[in-house]
Amino acid sequence: LKQTLVLKSGGATGIWHMDVNPTNPNDVLASTSDGLRRTQDGGYSWPLVMTGTNRWERENNHVARHPHDPTRIYAGTVMGLNLSTDGGDTWAKVDDLWVVSSFIRWISFDKKRPEVMLVGTTSGLMRSDDWGKSFRRIFRSPWPALKHVRQVEVDPYHDNRIWMATRDGILVSDD
């Protein structure tokens, strides 16, 4: 292994998540503490492709390509969700009440139902049934550690089962 993401004359860059283009392994997106970085040359260069308007929009926690449409890419920041519909060339903020200023920790998709996506935040779990155009909250807890969703996955063997990792343990829903 070689270290390819190096910022010369700067502080360390925290890498939180990565996404590899399923049709081009040289195209990789990296969620970092200073924005969303992208290499299209196999890791030789990593320019910023999304920085946000302030430090909260700049800190990128998670990036995920839609499994049914790899040109749809979602990026979660400390202050909201962003969407690219052209493979990562341009980005727009998702303007929905539940995610517009949420601390996004995780983005997941239902592989059997392409229109369904789940977004884990520090205030609970949000669900979209229309490709991320609108969301609704499907989980919230009065306990701060339990409502802090770190990861969420749709069970590929049980259509209605969702697994959710929080700061206070693992939860499962069968409905």
Side-chain angles (χ1 to χ4, degrees), residues 81 92-100 132-135:
L81 183 66
K93 196 158 179 73
V94 175
D95 189 25
D96 177 82
L97 169 70
W98 293 107
V99 297
V100 71
K133 293 177 190 150
S134 64
F135 288 84

Side-chain angles (χ1 to χ4, degrees), residues 50 71-75 81-85 90-94 131-132:
M50 189 179 71
T71 64
R72 286 184 80 81
I73 305 169
Y74 295 86
L81 183 66
N82 296 281
L83 168 64
S84 173
T85 58
T90 60
W91 294 87
K93 196 158 179 73
V94 175
W131 295 80

Side-chain angles (χ1 to χ4, degrees), residues 26-60:
N26 289 320
D27 182 12
V28 180
L29 291 159
S31 292
T32 75
S33 55
D34 65 339
L36 186 65
R37 292 184 173 272
R38 181 181 195 179
T39 184
Q40 292 181 300
D41 57 14
Y44 289 102
S45 63
W46 290 88
L48 281 166
V49 294
M50 189 179 71
T51 60
T53 59
N54 58 48
R55 78 179 191 120
W56 304 113
E57 288 180 346
R58 182 172 35 256
E59 186 165 335
N60 200 283

